[in-house]
Amino acid sequence: MSRCYALVDCNSFYASCERLFRPDLRQRPVIVLSNNDGCVVSLSREAKDLGIPMGVPYHQIRDWAQQQGVAVFSSNYALYGDLSNRVMRTLEQLAPRIEIYSIDEAFADLGGMQRWDLTQWGRQVRQTVLRHCGLPVCVGIAPTKTLAKLANHVAKGQRAQGGGVIVWQQAAQWQPQLAQTEVEAIWGIGRRLGRQLRLLQIDSAADLAAAHLPTLRKQFSVSVERIARELNGVACLGYAQMPAARAQILCSRSFGRRLTQQQDLAEALCHFACQAAEKLRAQQQRCRELTIFIRTHPFAASGQTPRPAYANQAAWRFLEPTADSRDLMQACHALLASIWRPGYQYLKAGVILRDFYAAGSFQPELFVQAPPRPRSAELMQVIDRINRRGGAPIRFAGQGLDPQWQMRREHLSPAYTTDWRQLPLVTLGPCAATLMRRSPATENPVP
DNA sequence: TCTGGGGTCCTAGGACCC
DNA sequence: TCTGGGGTCCTAGGACCC
């Protein structure tokens, strides 16, 4: 049976989320910043039209953006994560099965639905998600994931004409588009590969589709060969309904300000370790390896006022797999002591967990068994349950009481959908409903 | 002063084994 | 004249994605 994939992708996802509870921003340019208010990572249509580039450091455009009346937001992952869930639950009702690919997009498996009016199906998806979640999406449908991605990209460009849905079932439908698509615009071809492909006169998606497959594999990799096949309608990328358990878990942050004390770094690392442990337990696993890394500013040595730069990492192997936050924190302390160097201004640190085992699946060596922590699993379970409920979380003293490394989020919007205290208020006027929200500072409703 | 965080997949090369 | 070869496993690093 031939395959058929739909890619459903939210338009300007973070910016759209911010706008959802701020109808006053509906026609205004909106941008969302990365952690620490570093770079621009999401732009509304109006902000793109102003020419703000994706990924630009915010400080480079701050004053200008203010003059242009751009609404600026810090990343609010509590809000985006919750709205993403609502979108995915909605899609599950509209498709036989979906594969969640990222926070704002999902593939739907439409195999067996080829005789349907797929354009009509795509329109229904757009309408339903808009009605249930208030978020605009575009839909691309094609026989392979790579083509569905491209169809979605085209649909985004055409949505002004009332479209937003592109369906390709025959090669004649997608071939004209391949000729117009730059090779770097293909899913899986980045800047580096693009440059190398262009050296071989492969400039467009059509060129890649027509390229000699064994040469592609030899000169690049099997991944590039697969992309070329997919552009010809031959599905190489399978469908994964269940998200595979993560093979590694990484928790890291750039700090809101530089850290110079070992104790502050230790607290940050312990905090990341506890976050990572929570994710590990959520996927019912234990890990045998923990890596920490610390580093100064990457541009420290080359900046205007050069500072000494330092980066290092170290790994710990547990005798037996563990998911106990206390084991991970102990390892963090030991590892930090081995790579800590005084006299540097540290900007970033992180914890990586690897080498996972399901509980009970590990054969310990006969004579080297770690002394078990009594009732470890039960304790962690209770902590996770309490922390999932929201409100004040349970934390370990090692995470610190007054973190010195909190990130900068000067433009954070309320947690409209995940915190009772920040719920938006709606007051009904004589003619129209006006959306209100509480000001966190005063608890008074403000428009 | 100011440049994110969290992932995956693939390959090359070294260690080790028989 | 001339030092085996083939296989597996692991890790580091590169490239990509959102």
Side-chain angles (χ1 to χ4, degrees):
Chain A
M1 189 175 63
S2 70
R3 303 211 218 171
C4 186
Y5 293 101
L7 179 70
V8 183
D9 190 319
C10 300
N11 305 341
S12 307
F13 181 57
Y14 296 172
S16 298
C17 290
E18 294 295 349
R19 218 153 35 180
L20 183 54
F21 293 96
R22 292 285 304 274
D24 56 306
L25 298 179
R26 208 157 277 167
Q27 308 296 332
R28 272 181 59 190
V30 174
I31 61 173
V32 179
L33 308 178
S34 63
N35 286 339
N36 278 313
D37 296 342
C39 306
V40 176
V41 292
S42 180
L43 305 95
S44 71
R45 165 58 47 197
E46 297 78 8
K48 284 176 193 161
D49 290 345
L50 278 178
I52 303 175
M54 180 70 145
V56 67
Y58 175 52
H59 69 90
Q60 288 178 8
I61 61 157
R62 182 166 34 212
D63 296 342
W64 176 83
Q66 224 156 35
Q67 289 164 18
Q68 300 291 320
V70 177
V72 181
F73 291 93
S74 304
S75 291
N76 182 346
Y77 290 105
L79 178 65
Y80 314 148
D82 184 59
L83 293 176
S84 169
N85 269 329
R86 296 180 191 207
V87 171
M88 300 307 169
R89 297 296 87 80
T90 303
L91 293 181
E92 276 167 356
Q93 294 166 14
L94 296 167
R97 41 182 202 161
I98 68 164
E99 174 192 339
I100 298 171
Y101 177 67
S102 75
I103 193 166
D104 73 333
E105 60 190 308
F107 288 102
D109 180 10
L110 304 186
M113 286 172 60
Q114 284 91 337
R115 290 177 180 280
W116 288 40
D117 181 344
L118 293 176
T119 306
Q120 188 50 41
W121 181 86
R123 286 191 191 128
Q124 192 198 342
V125 167
R126 275 168 58 87
Q127 283 164 12
T128 311
V129 175
L130 190 62
R131 197 166 62 234
H132 290 191
C133 312
L135 294 169
V137 301
C138 282
V139 183
I141 299 175
T144 71
K145 283 182 163 180
T146 305
L147 285 171
K149 268 301 251 201
L150 191 56
N152 187 289
H153 181 73
V154 175
K156 283 225 156 84
Q158 294 184 358
R159 70 180 190 277
Q161 292 97 51
V165 180
I166 295 282
V167 180
W168 290 337
Q169 291 181 290
Q170 310 295 331
Q173 294 173 297
W174 67 73
Q175 271 164 354
Q177 189 60 47
L178 296 192
Q180 294 174 38
T181 303
E182 303 287 329
V183 73
E184 299 85 0
I186 305 167
W187 186 41
I189 305 294
R191 259 215 312 266
R192 288 291 264 272
L193 282 173
R195 212 160 44 217
Q196 294 170 30
L197 286 164
R198 281 181 187 273
L199 289 177
L200 304 176
Q201 269 80 54
I202 297 174
D203 297 307
S204 69
D207 294 337
L208 187 59
H212 185 235
L213 294 176
T215 308
L216 287 181
R217 180 188 286 238
K218 193 150 176 286
Q219 295 219 0
F220 300 96
S221 70
V222 65
S223 319
V224 177
E225 183 194 350
R226 273 187 206 133
I227 292 169
R229 287 184 190 274
E230 288 242 321
L231 290 174
N232 285 301
V234 180
C236 302
L237 302 175
Y239 174 85
Q241 182 163 29
M242 285 299 291
R246 303 252 166 272
Q248 72 173 42
I249 293 172
L250 183 147
C251 289
S252 76
R253 280 285 178 284
S254 295
F255 308 130
R257 60 185 192 78
R258 309 285 194 275
L259 300 186
T260 55
Q261 303 300 310
Q262 184 174 0
Q263 175 64 25
D264 291 337
L265 262 185
E267 287 179 1
L269 285 168
C270 283
H271 185 71
F272 302 147
C274 288
Q275 282 186 322
E278 202 177 314
K279 293 185 194 177
L280 183 64
R281 295 191 292 264
Q283 62 177 39
Q284 324 269 324
Q285 284 185 303
R286 302 162 182 225
C287 74
R288 261 202 97 187
E289 191 182 299
L290 176 149
T291 301
I292 67 162
F293 65 87
I294 58 176
R295 66 168 172 77
T296 57
H297 198 289
F299 313 135
S302 59
Q304 282 188 336
T305 46
R307 294 205 174 80
Y310 173 68
N312 208 346
Q313 59 175 35
W316 184 272
R317 269 192 87 71
F318 297 99
L319 287 176
E320 284 179 41
T322 177
D324 191 308
S325 303
R326 294 166 296 177
D327 291 334
L328 305 190
M329 286 192 289
Q330 251 178 15
C332 285
H333 276 289
L335 292 172
L336 180 61
S338 73
I339 60 173
W340 159 263
R341 299 286 178 276
Y344 293 102
Q345 300 193 338
Y346 292 93
L347 178 78
K348 183 174 179 178
V351 168
I352 307 169
L353 307 183
R354 292 198 190 95
D355 202 5
F356 296 158
Y357 294 81
S361 71
F362 180 77
Q363 284 296 318
E365 289 172 50
L366 198 49
F367 301 110
V368 270
Q369 287 184 19
R373 290 182 182 271
R375 308 194 65 192
S376 160
E378 291 90 338
L379 177 62
M380 294 301 130
Q381 214 173 25
V382 168
I383 292 175
D384 289 343
R385 207 160 51 219
I386 292 172
N387 286 352
R388 266 199 302 272
R389 265 203 318 242
I394 292 201
R395 299 158 64 101
F396 289 91
Q399 295 172 252
L401 295 173
D402 178 27
Q404 296 298 303
W405 48 271
Q406 224 64 329
M407 60 178 169
R408 251 195 327 276
R409 295 208 283 186
E410 288 172 5
H411 308 276
L412 188 60
S413 52
Y416 296 109
T417 62
T418 53
D419 185 341
W420 288 108
R421 292 161 298 183
Q422 300 182 38
L423 224 51
L425 300 180
V426 178
T427 57
L428 296 173
C431 305
T434 314
L435 190 62
M436 315 281 279
R437 68 179 172 87
R438 281 184 204 281
S439 152
T442 62
E443 290 289 316
N444 291 325
V446 295

